[in-house]
């Protein structure tokens, strides 16, 4: 957590606003913080790391563009909702890089606490609705959640490919470690899993990932 | 346009990939550029300007959170698709700040050319589908497009409020100019239009926007 209070506390919204709407807007100001949470992945279009808001937008467009490769029929609109909210808890819990096994141990606990705090800003019914989407994404029990998760694992492959390795070059990580983290893509799309394996295989041949 | 070629030309995707998927992925790499297109609005959570990808994600979450304020019933999933694609053409056409009347004259022409170029990267059917969403957003003939546009005009109000004026302080712009640009919010949501007027009115009283 970067701050003990809400962003909106710095410049409180006018008190004459309808109180339910005021809570909605307070939440929508607070989530501006997602734009400051940096991921490990480098952008393809600029020399800096990606942030969670950009990443979430990219996944939304990927869902729309790649839905035809889903193994099961998916509701595209619903799948987009899942990716739009999937990283919100990192506003308070921070990003947990996929190759950081130590940080991963406390991830679930940190993110549950963050979800309680963040979705608690909203009117109860609105908070429950967004929380349900986050839970659905995490549980991966629906075709939409499995495809959303596949997008979340596939997107950094594109950035790492463009960076000639990127986070594949994390010390201690081998090409097989990368392959292992990408298995979950196959739960949503066999075609995209195969494409992922082609990208990693070619990256390994070029020396962008350490032979296992 | 920042570059004459495609981003993916710098590190071509493996040729053994299925050619249709390769075109989809080439497009999804190219759109990484949206993360580098800066808007006039300052972030609430950091001391820098917002980029188009972050902005588009923020609108998607606003659609989900504020749909109950729409004057007409909307398909939330479809409305999110509209906001996810609505600024893509700025990758080649650049951002046209709302108070820049000179740049606005050539906006339509620049954006049409950008749409042809960007959506043309995709397989024809996929390109047509995304182009149809962009056209729908621009034309504002559906309830979903009207609400999406309302979000696009409402979101900077929140950032400008947090910045105690932000782009309301653009030289030559008065509080009535700001009100005039926000009328389109009322085509999608009477309640949010009224909230916008309350924010601008209070901002004017505090000296964050120039009295008209």
């Amino acid at each position: 957590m970067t701050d003990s209070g809400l962003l909106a506390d710095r410049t409180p919204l006018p008190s004459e606003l309808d109180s339910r709407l005021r809570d909605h807007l307070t939440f929508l100001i607070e989530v501006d913080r997602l734009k400051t949470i940096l991921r490990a992945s480098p952008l393809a279009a600029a020399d800096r790391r990606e942030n969670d808001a950009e990443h979430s937008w990219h996944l939304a467009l990927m869902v729309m563009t790649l839905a035809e490769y889903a193994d099961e029929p998916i509701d595209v609109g619903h799948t987009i909702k899942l990716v739009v909210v999937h990283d919100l808890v990192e506003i308070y819990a921070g990003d947990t890089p996929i190759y950081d096994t130590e940080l991963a141990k406390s991830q679930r606990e940190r993110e549950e606490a963050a979800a309680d705090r963040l979705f608690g800003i909203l009117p109860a019914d609105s908070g429950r609705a967004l929380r349900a989407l986050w839970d659905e994404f995490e549980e991966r029990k629906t075709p939409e959640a499995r495809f959303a998760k596949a997008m979340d694992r596939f997107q950094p492959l594109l950035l790492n490919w463009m960076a000639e390795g990127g986070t594949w070059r994390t010390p201690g990580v081998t090409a097989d470690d990368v392959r292992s983290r990408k298995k979950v893509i196959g739960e949503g799309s066999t075609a995209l899993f195969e494409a992922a394996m082609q990208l990693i295989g070619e990256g390994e041949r070029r020396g962008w990932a350490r032979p296992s």
Side-chain angles (χ1 to χ4, degrees), chain A residues 21 25 28 36-37 45 70 74 80 90-91 107 130 140-141 144 159-160 180 182 188 190 206:
Chain A
L21 176 56
L25 299 184
L28 288 168
T36 71
I37 308 296
I74 57 167
I80 299 174
E90 297 190 359
I91 285 175
Q107 184 174 7
L130 290 193
R140 301 210 300 277
K141 289 182 182 162
E144 286 78 11
L159 298 185
N160 284 331
S180 159
K182 302 301 176 187
T190 305
R206 296 185 189 189

Side-chain angles (χ1 to χ4, degrees), chain A residues 110-139:
Chain A
R110 284 181 290 112
E111 294 192 347
E112 289 278 352
D116 290 345
R117 178 173 156 83
L118 184 69
F119 298 127
I121 297 169
L122 286 163
D125 57 337
S126 303
R128 274 194 302 272
L130 290 193
R131 173 66 182 251
L133 291 168
W134 181 62
D135 288 339
E136 182 183 343
F137 176 85
E138 289 290 313
E139 290 164 5

Side-chain angles (χ1 to χ4, degrees), chain A residues 131-169:
Chain A
R131 173 66 182 251
L133 291 168
W134 181 62
D135 288 339
E136 182 183 343
F137 176 85
E138 289 290 313
E139 290 164 5
R140 301 210 300 277
K141 289 182 182 162
T142 62
E144 286 78 11
R146 283 189 284 271
F147 194 72
K149 188 71 182 181
M151 297 298 97
D152 192 32
R153 289 288 163 86
F154 196 87
Q155 190 255 2
L157 277 179
L158 295 178
L159 298 185
N160 284 331
W161 175 266
M162 290 302 294
E164 304 192 346
T167 62
W168 299 347
R169 298 180 188 268

